[in-house]
Amino acid sequence: MKRFQISRRCFLTSAALGASGLALSGCDAFDSLSSTDSRVRGVLESANNLTYRVQRLLAGRDSLAQEFTEADIRQPQRPNGVTAPDDEDYLAFQSKDFADWRLEVSGLVEKPLSLSREQLIAMPSRTQITRHDCVEGWSCIAKWTGTPLSLVLDQARVKPQARYAVFHCMDTIERGLSGGIKYYDSIDLIDARHPQTILAYGLNDKPLPVQNGAPLRVRVERQLGYKMPKYIRKIELVDSFTQMGDGKGGYWEDRGYDWYGGI
């Protein structure tokens, strides 16, 4: 008998749709739903909220993603999405090996920051060997080194009303008549302060390559790959992201992905 694996997203979405009286025969049907059907969109958003609550209940705030040994690293970290930004600001930073680049930390903080790569590297670091799970279905194990995001947030003194950390990136992921759209995404402060959430500047004991997000990318090890933005320029602390993009919290979320991509 053939065995089937049902994704967490598909299972929870189907459960929510079933409860609503809608009949779907699987994730293919989910993907083919019209984006103009407000009733269906509302149900799917409810499924996303259910996913978030269940994941938090089952995993807890501080549970760790599985870590591996160096013997488990069998291939280079697979690049994905934009791998060579051609934005003018990025190319200017790259031409000087990112010596002029700064990580800006702003928004709902008492002390806005502007940190060089050298300042980040000088801070206490964390190294972890973890599995990157892509929403496309592939996985890859790699060794990441970086600054715990919690240390940066502590230095910036996050205000009590802040709820989310938004990552603004330098890579233009979409170009249209209205101009370019640079990648962005967000996580809540529970994941932002998780011990395995790091601002990575090293990969497999070498400086982070451009194709994997240099000079800095975020690692959020309990979520899928699209929740780990590359080419970071700014972290903004906010109480809501309704005024950003289409108000869903990220580039892919604006296009139908779950805001909480837990695994």
Side-chain angles (χ1 to χ4, degrees), residues 169-184:
C169 306
M170 293 183 282
D171 55 318
T172 297
I173 191 168
E174 179 181 326
R175 289 182 170 86
L177 296 177
S178 60
I181 300 175
K182 291 184 182 291
Y183 196 83
Y184 85 99

Side-chain angles (χ1 to χ4, degrees), residues 187-208:
I187 56 176
D188 65 18
L189 291 187
I190 295 175
D191 273 326
R193 293 190 176 280
H194 188 273
Q196 289 175 314
T197 299
I198 63 174
L199 300 173
Y201 48 73
L203 173 61
N204 292 336
D205 294 321
K206 296 180 180 180
L208 184 67

